[in-house]
Amino acid sequence: MKIVNRNEELLRDALSRIPQSSSRTSLSSCNKLIRFEDISAAAFKIQCGVQKTPCMYSRLSKQYGMDIYLKKEFLQYTGSVKERGVLYLLTSLPQDQQRKGVIVASDSNFSMAVAYHASELRIPVFVIMSTSTSPARVKMCREYGAMVISYGTTAKDSQTHARRLAQENGYLYLEEEDSAVYLSGLGTVGLEVYEQVPKLDAVIFPAGGHCGLLAGSAAALKHLNPHISVIGVESESFPVLQQSLKAGHPIEDQACSNHDFYGDVSGLCFGSNSLQLTGNLVDKVVAVREEDIFISMLRLLEYERATVDADGAIGLAALVAGKLPELKGKRVAIVICSGNLELHLLQQCIARALTLDNRVCRFSLVLSDCPGDISKLLEILAREEARVLDIKQERTFVTSELFTVEVTCTVETRDKIHRAQLRNTLLERYPTAAWTER
């Protein structure tokens, strides 16, 4: 958490209440501000304000050859793990600042958590959003109890306006970063996973531009059992954590996208504290493709009835992509950290995932325009147990011989093998059939 302008002054009291001595030199050597005692204190303080989410055995275990336990942080009230760090930060602020209020400038999971918990604590809270923010996000933030102000066409405009309001009115402007208080709150996930799943071999976290959850939880897990592997997963499109670890300091990936799908996966929101903790305590960081994230979202929806976003699905995506073969036969926990995805994006993602997973395919062929020919095609599809999702006929612009019709079918198949069988059967009957490649 980055406290702009008056950071040291406002958090001095909060940090002074955190014990400063520690017998674990491994943690103090990599970050003097966050230790296991800090995380334990955070867990005690926020226990009545956030959900102790379940960490449940998954039906996906057999498919990937390991015992998989899913830590369902998307079940938090605002659908995100960020509530843990936000609540601990807000309760640690001096009372005079709580009376004056706080202000944020984004439509991220972090801002949603600030809006909800500040309202619950009766702290005045203001959220500045650009005019391009989706109406659903604006509505939700207002329902949490925040005063939402639309300003500017870009996120930078909103941030500038929020800073000005903070300076003029004495509000505390908050930006997600990696203060000791915020990391300690996020680190409580590691405590709960260790308590809920005995004999753990590894825990997988989302990483990328927001690695506070990974860093804070690693501090807890490595204190409790240094033999537990802590693994971070980020997108191949935005490998900012791997690049920063290699460079030895936080760097900004110029290729980061502002697309709503990526959310917390992209961008740079960690500082030297998170990076140093990650470099010292995290065993491995891997990167996955966008396609693997899509399929991971599909698996979680089908097997767990869990509707999650890219940040929530990226941990499982590492198993989908086969990036962690060393975990076969092991007991593994995966943190599903958030489930805030716009409905229209969810629909697009699942449709794309079904195609990538060889579950939906499309082909075109030319038939004579005679009664019964299309019926024969449908009989073949029924015999092959392919479900027809859509069928279109084109007569006007067919370039082949007269009295023919071009038929384009979209069908649902079980898997890659079923798709190949259907394709072979159709090519035997219709040698000119053309398949649309994904």
Side-chain angles (χ1 to χ4, degrees):
M1 183 79 61
K2 181 162 61 181
I3 312 298
V4 178
N5 297 329
R6 294 183 292 150
N7 184 14
E8 296 298 330
E9 178 183 347
L10 289 172
L11 283 185
R12 188 181 298 124
D13 293 340
L15 291 177
S16 66
R17 289 194 294 269
I18 301 175
Q20 296 300 311
S21 60
S22 174
S23 59
R24 289 193 56 83
T25 56
S26 60
L27 284 181
S28 60
S29 64
C30 65
N31 191 321
K32 295 180 180 179
L33 290 179
I34 177 173
R35 292 152 294 110
F36 182 75
E37 291 83 354
D38 307 338
I39 301 169
S40 298
F44 178 78
K45 196 165 187 177
I46 68 174
Q47 61 182 329
C48 295
V50 298
Q51 296 289 329
K52 184 176 182 178
T53 56
C55 192
M56 302 172 62
Y57 184 78
S58 174
R59 292 168 52 211
L60 291 164
S61 298
K62 184 180 295 185
Q63 186 169 346
Y64 294 104
M66 63 189 75
D67 290 333
I68 297 175
Y69 293 81
L70 300 180
K71 179 63 170 170
K72 300 185 177 182
E73 281 297 302
F74 65 93
L75 295 178
Q76 297 291 351
Y77 190 84
T78 65
S80 167
V81 70
K82 301 296 174 67
E83 289 191 27
R84 294 173 178 269
V86 165
L87 179 57
Y88 191 43
L89 173 84
L90 292 174
T91 55
S92 300
L93 291 176
Q95 289 187 358
D96 63 330
Q97 187 59 58
Q98 292 186 18
R99 286 192 296 270
K100 291 177 182 178
V102 297
I103 188 168
V104 291
S106 76
D107 62 347
S108 63
N109 290 334
F110 171 77
S111 293
M112 295 294 177
V114 172
Y116 171 66
H117 283 290
S119 298
E120 289 293 298
L121 294 168
R122 301 185 184 279
I123 299 173
V125 54
F126 303 86
V127 180
I128 314 300
M129 292 183 171
S130 67
T131 55
S132 59
T133 303
S134 73
R137 286 263 172 168
V138 174
K139 179 175 180 289
M140 187 174 296
C141 207
R142 284 185 174 137
E143 289 176 347
Y144 289 149
M147 173 67 72
V148 179
I149 301 171
S150 294
Y151 184 91
T153 57
T154 66
K156 188 174 182 179
D157 293 337
S158 301
Q159 291 165 4
T160 302
H161 187 58
R163 287 190 178 97
R164 183 166 61 249
L165 290 177
Q167 187 174 14
E168 293 173 354
N169 299 280
Y171 307 139
L172 180 61
Y173 176 67
L174 300 179
E175 256 188 311
E176 186 172 8
E177 238 278 354
D178 66 347
S179 71
V181 178
Y182 187 60
L183 290 181
S184 298
L186 293 176
T188 59
V189 173
L191 288 181
E192 289 187 11
V193 170
Y194 183 82
E195 174 190 336
Q196 292 169 316
V197 185
K199 300 180 180 179
L200 262 178
D201 294 303
V203 186
I204 302 174
F205 295 91
H210 296 250
C211 66
L213 173 63
L214 171 66
S217 296
L221 288 165
K222 288 297 186 179
H223 176 94
L224 292 165
N225 185 351
H227 300 295
I228 295 176
S229 294
V230 178
I231 300 168
V233 187
E234 63 181 346
S235 171
E236 281 186 359
S237 303
F238 320 107
V240 290
L241 180 55
Q242 289 177 319
Q243 293 173 3
S244 298
L245 288 171
K246 186 178 296 185
H249 58 84
I251 65 169
E252 185 172 354
D253 191 337
Q254 299 298 328
C256 284
S257 170
N258 290 322
H259 196 285
D260 291 341
F261 167 71
Y262 297 102
D264 292 350
V265 172
S266 65
L268 177 62
C269 278
F270 60 82
S272 57
N273 289 345
S274 295
L275 187 64
Q276 198 170 6
L277 280 169
T278 300
N280 282 275
L281 300 176
V282 174
D283 297 278
K284 190 174 186 180
V285 178
V286 299
V288 296
R289 302 175 304 159
E290 184 178 275
E291 291 85 346
D292 301 318
I293 299 174
F294 286 149
I295 294 178
S296 176
M297 293 171 67
L298 178 63
R299 295 283 185 271
L300 289 167
L301 182 61
E302 283 192 308
Y303 284 83
E304 298 294 331
R305 304 297 184 263
T307 305
V308 303
D309 53 22
D311 204 27
I314 198 169
L316 179 63
L319 302 185
V320 169
K323 292 294 182 76
L324 300 171
E326 69 273 17
L327 298 183
K328 291 286 185 181
K330 301 292 182 65
R331 181 169 288 200
V332 180
I334 304 174
V335 179
I336 313 298
C337 66
S338 63
N340 292 319
L341 188 64
E342 300 292 332
L343 292 178
H344 70 281
L345 284 176
L346 175 64
Q347 186 177 22
Q348 293 178 46
C349 292
I350 297 304
R352 181 64 175 152
L354 288 168
T355 304
L356 292 167
D357 204 30
N358 297 289
R359 306 267 293 280
V360 173
C361 54
R362 178 180 296 170
F363 62 87
S364 300
L365 47 83
V366 177
L367 301 174
S368 63
D369 195 6
C370 298
D373 274 20
I374 291 182
S375 296
K376 291 176 183 176
L377 171 62
L378 294 175
E379 288 175 5
I380 294 174
L381 294 175
R383 191 166 57 248
E384 292 297 319
E385 300 179 346
R387 189 164 78 94
V388 178
L389 301 177
D390 186 39
I391 184 167
K392 296 179 181 178
Q393 303 177 53
E394 176 60 60
R395 291 179 173 83
T396 306
F397 297 100
V398 177
T399 57
S400 58
E401 60 187 79
L402 294 174
F403 310 114
T404 58
V405 56
E406 184 179 46
V407 178
T408 301
C409 284
T410 303
V411 299
E412 180 182 356
T413 52
R414 289 188 297 272
D415 49 31
K416 187 176 183 179
I417 296 175
H418 188 203
R419 180 181 184 274
Q421 291 173 347
L422 175 63
R423 182 172 182 170
N424 292 336
T425 300
L426 289 173
L427 287 174
E428 288 178 7
R429 178 65 183 268
Y430 309 103
T432 60
W435 287 73
T436 302
E437 299 297 333
R438 56 187 174 89

